[in-house]
Amino acid sequence: QVQLVESGGGLVQAGGSLRLSCAASGSIFSINDMGWYRQAPGKQRELVAAITIGGSTNYADSVKGRFTVSRDNAKNTVLLQMNSLKPEDTAVYYCHVASRYSDGTREQYWGQGTQVTVSS
């Protein structure tokens, strides 16, 4: 099992910045990909950004050039730096981890979610 604790959400004006942080604990040796998803009211959860254990990144088109995902494998954390925020970025942001265990089992874990609200 992997436990995830998020921090860093809040209220910001359009054009502002926020940084989200997610700390993993538990079976950290199993962690492969880490990243962030978001879910706005009435919408499906969507990928925002992901980073592999090797450092390759993937971003949603809507956040490219504004958001940066990074990870510190020594500290088992994943960060999301969000710049030039727009009202449409308002959502609950969820930390996500994909794990693979030595027996080949794959699991996904989610944080509790942190609210990001961008005012116009």
Side-chain angles (χ1 to χ4, degrees):
Q1 294 282 331
V2 174
Q3 294 78 44
L4 302 172
V5 178
E6 303 154 345
S7 61
L11 173 65
V12 65
Q13 289 189 331
S17 299
L18 283 174
R19 189 176 79 161
L20 304 183
S21 177
C22 175
S25 61
S27 300
I28 55 175
F29 56 87
S30 70
I31 294 174
N32 283 349
D33 298 347
M34 305 182 80
W36 296 89
Y37 284 69
R38 67 186 180 187
Q39 188 166 18
K43 294 188 176 181
Q44 289 189 331
R45 191 172 296 190
E46 62 176 0
L47 173 70
V48 176
I51 183 167
T52 69
I53 195 169
S56 297
T57 57
N58 182 36
Y59 293 94
D61 287 343
S62 59
V63 307
K64 284 180 181 177
R66 299 188 298 122
F67 290 11
T68 302
V69 64
S70 61
R71 66 190 284 174
D72 184 333
N73 291 327
K75 296 182 179 180
N76 307 307
T77 58
V78 60
L79 304 176
L80 184 67
Q81 179 65 43
M82 304 185 292
N83 298 328
S84 302
L85 282 159
K86 304 175 180 179
E88 50 264 44
D89 294 318
T90 296
V92 178
Y93 283 69
Y94 296 91
C95 179
H96 172 263
V97 159
S99 288
R100 182 174 182 178
Y101 293 90
S102 57
D103 64 357
T105 304
R106 295 179 184 268
E107 296 284 352
Q108 295 188 66
Y109 300 97
W110 298 91
Q112 78 281 4
T114 185
Q115 178 69 45
V116 171
T117 303
V118 185
S119 63
S120 57

